[in-house]
Amino acid sequence: MYFYVDESGHTGPNLFDETQPMLYYGVLSSKVNVDLLAEDSLRKLRQRAKVLRLHANELGNGGLVPLASELLALQRRLNFRFDLYRVAKPDHAIICFFDQVFDHGNNPAITWTGYWTPMRYVLLLKLAKLFDKDIAKQAWEARIETDSDKADALLTSVCMELRSRVGHLPDARSRQLISDTLEWAEKNPKKIYYNTKKKKDKLQITPNIIGFQSVMHGIASRLKTKKAKAAAIIVDQQSQFNKAQKSLSEYFAALSDLPAANGPGLPAIDFSGMPKIPIEFASSANSAGLELVDLHLWVFKRTMEGKELAPELYRLIEPHLYRGRTDEISLNAIAARWERWFEELPDPTPEQLERSQSLIAYDEERRLRAIQGG
């Protein structure tokens, strides 16, 4: 199979650009070489539009509508699929904070269940209510600060401010756990390993690379579903993130034959089916597949953001609403996904309840000892 990958909404480590709150990735997948088989059709459309390449942002509704029927016919002829992935950038700062500060391996003040079971999402969403934009910005500044002393001072300040707001949470147990965890981090910032140490490490935690993880998992899922192998993975060429994308794809390929585990109730970490073929980088100036990704991604974005879109163009994405994949990393997506899981959770048996209470008591004793000692 052939895959073509492009992104939109790129702001790198600047997560708080109000004009681009979402990072999008679009992935076009096909059994055939789209670069080869779509080129003639797109060349004719370029000539009609009197442009060198079909860039949706430049053509807009007015420029694309006259081409819509031909683009739809090309889509049907090639029978490709289009998958969409997006990351809510301001939410990413809060999720990163939770992942580091509430990591059970770094912070003994958090319970084992608070990090290694779906209860982590309950705590994450409650913690998120304590953030405002300014505190989220400070937390992210600390995360990408390469000077550890500066980062630790920022982290301590963020923890102190969040802890002052814990009283707004409605239940006593959440207030206790979140307050204790923040206080321990506040007193032991160097043990949290919060900040990135080098410029290249900063790239690895940007929404661009977090979103690209979803892209690679989506490609692996497509390959497993179709029982196929990757013939090519073409990624849009841009200087800042291509090296990090390449490193990530190689890392995932190396894990493709290894078993992975996760906490009980958490989604399995599945690297099976990860393509081992090296990803390639190209410009839409010489890739018909990337040119088509740009067009479809623009239509998807306008639809999801409620912006003006001609009905003729909506027809381009309509089939993919049912046969494509979509995934989102955001606090709202986490809430929607896990609310259903907790609602469908069966009541525990008396034996399970007794055993769980015993384990919780044991872990609570450990946690309190760690707080008193640290």
PDB file of all heavy atoms in Angstrom, residues 62-76:
ATOM      1  N   GLY A  62     -13.796  29.406  -4.028  1.00  0.00           N
ATOM      2  CA  GLY A  62     -14.047  29.841  -5.393  1.00  0.00           C
ATOM      3  C   GLY A  62     -13.187  29.146  -6.420  1.00  0.00           C
ATOM      4  O   GLY A  62     -13.654  28.810  -7.517  1.00  0.00           O
ATOM      5  N   GLY A  63     -11.919  28.901  -6.076  1.00  0.00           N
ATOM      6  CA  GLY A  63     -11.021  28.245  -7.023  1.00  0.00           C
ATOM      7  C   GLY A  63     -11.194  26.747  -7.102  1.00  0.00           C
ATOM      8  O   GLY A  63     -10.881  26.129  -8.139  1.00  0.00           O
ATOM      9  N   LEU A  64     -11.696  26.138  -6.028  1.00  0.00           N
ATOM     10  CA  LEU A  64     -11.814  24.676  -5.987  1.00  0.00           C
ATOM     11  C   LEU A  64     -13.145  24.154  -6.526  1.00  0.00           C
ATOM     12  O   LEU A  64     -13.199  23.046  -7.070  1.00  0.00           O
ATOM     13  CB  LEU A  64     -11.614  24.166  -4.557  1.00  0.00           C
ATOM     14  CG  LEU A  64     -10.195  24.260  -4.000  1.00  0.00           C
ATOM     15  CD1 LEU A  64     -10.167  23.862  -2.530  1.00  0.00           C
ATOM     16  CD2 LEU A  64      -9.236  23.371  -4.794  1.00  0.00           C
ATOM     17  N   VAL A  65     -14.209  24.915  -6.374  1.00  0.00           N
ATOM     18  CA  VAL A  65     -15.526  24.437  -6.813  1.00  0.00           C
ATOM     19  C   VAL A  65     -15.536  24.016  -8.284  1.00  0.00           C
ATOM     20  O   VAL A  65     -16.088  22.945  -8.620  1.00  0.00           O
ATOM     21  CB  VAL A  65     -16.613  25.497  -6.525  1.00  0.00           C
ATOM     22  CG1 VAL A  65     -17.906  25.160  -7.268  1.00  0.00           C
ATOM     23  CG2 VAL A  65     -16.892  25.560  -5.025  1.00  0.00           C
ATOM     24  N   PRO A  66     -14.917  24.768  -9.215  1.00  0.00           N
ATOM     25  CA  PRO A  66     -14.928  24.337 -10.614  1.00  0.00           C
ATOM     26  C   PRO A  66     -14.187  23.025 -10.858  1.00  0.00           C
ATOM     27  O   PRO A  66     -14.382  22.390 -11.894  1.00  0.00           O
ATOM     28  CB  PRO A  66     -14.224  25.494 -11.345  1.00  0.00           C
ATOM     29  CG  PRO A  66     -14.380  26.672 -10.451  1.00  0.00           C
ATOM     30  CD  PRO A  66     -14.331  26.127  -9.063  1.00  0.00           C
ATOM     31  N   LEU A  67     -13.347  22.610  -9.899  1.00  0.00           N
ATOM     32  CA  LEU A  67     -12.566  21.384 -10.043  1.00  0.00           C
ATOM     33  C   LEU A  67     -13.180  20.211  -9.278  1.00  0.00           C
ATOM     34  O   LEU A  67     -12.691  19.086  -9.375  1.00  0.00           O
ATOM     35  CB  LEU A  67     -11.137  21.613  -9.536  1.00  0.00           C
ATOM     36  CG  LEU A  67     -10.417  22.887  -9.977  1.00  0.00           C
ATOM     37  CD1 LEU A  67      -9.034  22.950  -9.345  1.00  0.00           C
ATOM     38  CD2 LEU A  67     -10.326  22.961 -11.488  1.00  0.00           C
ATOM     39  N   ALA A  68     -14.222  20.477  -8.507  1.00  0.00           N
ATOM     40  CA  ALA A  68     -14.730  19.487  -7.546  1.00  0.00           C
ATOM     41  C   ALA A  68     -15.184  18.202  -8.206  1.00  0.00           C
ATOM     42  O   ALA A  68     -14.888  17.100  -7.716  1.00  0.00           O
ATOM     43  CB  ALA A  68     -15.871  20.098  -6.729  1.00  0.00           C
ATOM     44  N   SER A  69     -15.921  18.278  -9.303  1.00  0.00           N
ATOM     45  CA  SER A  69     -16.447  17.058  -9.923  1.00  0.00           C
ATOM     46  C   SER A  69     -15.316  16.177 -10.443  1.00  0.00           C
ATOM     47  O   SER A  69     -15.363  14.945 -10.309  1.00  0.00           O
ATOM     48  CB  SER A  69     -17.419  17.406 -11.058  1.00  0.00           C
ATOM     49  OG  SER A  69     -16.780  18.180 -12.050  1.00  0.00           O
ATOM     50  N   GLU A  70     -14.277  16.785 -11.022  1.00  0.00           N
ATOM     51  CA  GLU A  70     -13.141  16.005 -11.510  1.00  0.00           C
ATOM     52  C   GLU A  70     -12.350  15.390 -10.354  1.00  0.00           C
ATOM     53  O   GLU A  70     -11.880  14.257 -10.441  1.00  0.00           O
ATOM     54  CB  GLU A  70     -12.216  16.875 -12.367  1.00  0.00           C
ATOM     55  CG  GLU A  70     -12.770  17.206 -13.731  1.00  0.00           C
ATOM     56  CD  GLU A  70     -13.658  18.450 -13.725  1.00  0.00           C
ATOM     57  OE1 GLU A  70     -14.027  18.901 -12.610  1.00  0.00           O
ATOM     58  OE2 GLU A  70     -13.990  18.949 -14.809  1.00  0.00           O
ATOM     59  N   LEU A  71     -12.220  16.142  -9.266  1.00  0.00           N
ATOM     60  CA  LEU A  71     -11.522  15.598  -8.094  1.00  0.00           C
ATOM     61  C   LEU A  71     -12.287  14.425  -7.492  1.00  0.00           C
ATOM     62  O   LEU A  71     -11.691  13.425  -7.072  1.00  0.00           O
ATOM     63  CB  LEU A  71     -11.340  16.694  -7.044  1.00  0.00           C
ATOM     64  CG  LEU A  71     -10.307  17.780  -7.372  1.00  0.00           C
ATOM     65  CD1 LEU A  71     -10.397  18.930  -6.375  1.00  0.00           C
ATOM     66  CD2 LEU A  71      -8.900  17.195  -7.383  1.00  0.00           C
ATOM     67  N   LEU A  72     -13.615  14.534  -7.456  1.00  0.00           N
ATOM     68  CA  LEU A  72     -14.429  13.435  -6.943  1.00  0.00           C
ATOM     69  C   LEU A  72     -14.323  12.215  -7.850  1.00  0.00           C
ATOM     70  O   LEU A  72     -14.227  11.074  -7.361  1.00  0.00           O
ATOM     71  CB  LEU A  72     -15.886  13.875  -6.816  1.00  0.00           C
ATOM     72  CG  LEU A  72     -16.849  12.899  -6.137  1.00  0.00           C
ATOM     73  CD1 LEU A  72     -16.377  12.578  -4.723  1.00  0.00           C
ATOM     74  CD2 LEU A  72     -18.259  13.460  -6.107  1.00  0.00           C
ATOM     75  N   ALA A  73     -14.306  12.432  -9.156  1.00  0.00           N
ATOM     76  CA  ALA A  73     -14.160  11.319 -10.094  1.00  0.00           C
ATOM     77  C   ALA A  73     -12.803  10.638  -9.928  1.00  0.00           C
ATOM     78  O   ALA A  73     -12.693   9.405  -9.983  1.00  0.00           O
ATOM     79  CB  ALA A  73     -14.325  11.830 -11.529  1.00  0.00           C
ATOM     80  N   LEU A  74     -11.748  11.446  -9.701  1.00  0.00           N
ATOM     81  CA  LEU A  74     -10.413  10.887  -9.480  1.00  0.00           C
ATOM     82  C   LEU A  74     -10.386  10.068  -8.204  1.00  0.00           C
ATOM     83  O   LEU A  74      -9.792   8.977  -8.149  1.00  0.00           O
ATOM     84  CB  LEU A  74      -9.399  12.030  -9.408  1.00  0.00           C
ATOM     85  CG  LEU A  74      -7.945  11.648  -9.140  1.00  0.00           C
ATOM     86  CD1 LEU A  74      -7.398  10.773 -10.255  1.00  0.00           C
ATOM     87  CD2 LEU A  74      -7.095  12.916  -8.972  1.00  0.00           C
ATOM     88  N   GLN A  75     -11.032  10.566  -7.165  1.00  0.00           N
ATOM     89  CA  GLN A  75     -11.111   9.843  -5.888  1.00  0.00           C
ATOM     90  C   GLN A  75     -11.777   8.485  -6.081  1.00  0.00           C
ATOM     91  O   GLN A  75     -11.311   7.461  -5.566  1.00  0.00           O
ATOM     92  CB  GLN A  75     -11.891  10.689  -4.878  1.00  0.00           C
ATOM     93  CG  GLN A  75     -12.049  10.063  -3.510  1.00  0.00           C
ATOM     94  CD  GLN A  75     -12.971  10.887  -2.628  1.00  0.00           C
ATOM     95  OE1 GLN A  75     -13.994  10.402  -2.167  1.00  0.00           O
ATOM     96  NE2 GLN A  75     -12.629  12.143  -2.383  1.00  0.00           N
ATOM     97  N   ARG A  76     -12.863   8.466  -6.835  1.00  0.00           N
ATOM     98  CA  ARG A  76     -13.581   7.204  -7.061  1.00  0.00           C
ATOM     99  C   ARG A  76     -12.750   6.242  -7.897  1.00  0.00           C
ATOM    100  O   ARG A  76     -12.743   5.028  -7.662  1.00  0.00           O
ATOM    101  CB  ARG A  76     -14.920   7.497  -7.749  1.00  0.00           C
ATOM    102  CG  ARG A  76     -15.931   8.165  -6.831  1.00  0.00           C
ATOM    103  CD  ARG A  76     -17.126   8.680  -7.606  1.00  0.00           C
ATOM    104  NE  ARG A  76     -18.153   9.241  -6.728  1.00  0.00           N
ATOM    105  CZ  ARG A  76     -19.134  10.020  -7.138  1.00  0.00           C
ATOM    106  NH1 ARG A  76     -19.243  10.347  -8.450  1.00  0.00           N
ATOM    107  NH2 ARG A  76     -20.024  10.495  -6.280  1.00  0.00           N
TER     108      ARG A  76
END
